[in-house]
């Protein structure tokens, strides 16, 4: 009983914050003519939820979250359960901001890879994006992130260019990079990325 009380105490402020975020997002979206949805100020992260992923994503959506962050990284995420929650939520896809990540080989569990470890990085990105679209039960991603830089700048740029191809194909609407702590490497990637 005390566990339920703690959960309610924790979820109430989260629900209030999510409702405020949802209202702000709706207001921003109504003034934007762009086909790329603006990310909500707060996204619900789905890492480490395991068998409770679907249940917890549904709870977040009911609480007012409209932005969901996941990754094609079975080691830490259950992307298919996120997709099941999105599909059963009753919300329109256009009202959601769905962000996922291509995770390079170093961040994957070698026993549960979403792509062929021996494939070129471009093929790994292609297979990862295809798996994400299938898992999330959608035909586009609002944002596709490179989960972390690859071992070399050349490999990172190759992955990025493949991600750009997914934007050109309409499968992703925006790109991003996480876990990049080297400002010079980030600047170089920005300079060499397609415009």
């Amino acid at each position: 009983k005390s566990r339920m009380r703690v959960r309610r105490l924790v979820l109430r402020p989260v629900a209030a914050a999510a409702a405020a975020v949802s209202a702000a997002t709706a207001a921003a979206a109504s003034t934007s003519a762009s086909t790329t949805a603006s990310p909500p100020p707060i996204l619900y992260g789905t890492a480490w939820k395991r068998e409770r992923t679907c249940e917890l994503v549904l709870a977040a959506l009911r609480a007012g979250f409209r932005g969901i962050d996941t990754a094609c990284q079975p080691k830490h995420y259950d992307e298919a359960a996120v997709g099941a929650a999105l599909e059963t939520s009753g919300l329109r896809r256009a009202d959601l901001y769905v962000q996922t990540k291509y995770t390079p080989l170093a961040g994957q569990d070698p026993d549960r890879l979403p792509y062929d470890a021996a494939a070129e990085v471009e093929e790994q990105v292609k297979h990862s994006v295809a798996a994400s679209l299938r898992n999330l039960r959608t035909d586009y991603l609002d944002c596709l992130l490179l989960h972390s830089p690859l071992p070399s700048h050349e490999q990172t740029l190759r992955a990025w260019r493949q991600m750009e191809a997914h934007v050109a194909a309409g499968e992703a609407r925006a790109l991003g990079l996480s876990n990049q702590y080297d400002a010079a490497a980030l600047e170089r990637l920005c300079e060499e990325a397609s415009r």
Side-chain angles (χ1 to χ4, degrees), residues 6-91:
V6 170
R7 185 174 292 148
R8 282 190 190 134
L9 291 174
V10 170
L11 286 179
R12 281 189 186 134
V14 170
V21 167
S22 183
T25 302
S30 68
T31 61
S32 174
S34 171
T35 58
T36 302
S38 296
I42 300 173
L43 277 72
Y44 181 74
T46 63
W48 308 298
K49 307 293 190 273
R50 301 190 187 269
E51 67 280 345
R52 296 191 62 212
T53 299
C54 185
E55 165 198 351
L56 293 171
V57 171
L58 282 169
L61 293 170
R62 281 193 299 273
F65 281 89
R66 293 299 177 261
I68 303 295
D69 173 78
T70 190
C72 193
Q73 183 191 30
K75 178 179 182 178
H76 298 304
Y77 296 82
D78 186 347
E79 218 179 30
V82 172
L86 297 177
E87 186 174 74
T88 61
S89 71
L91 297 168

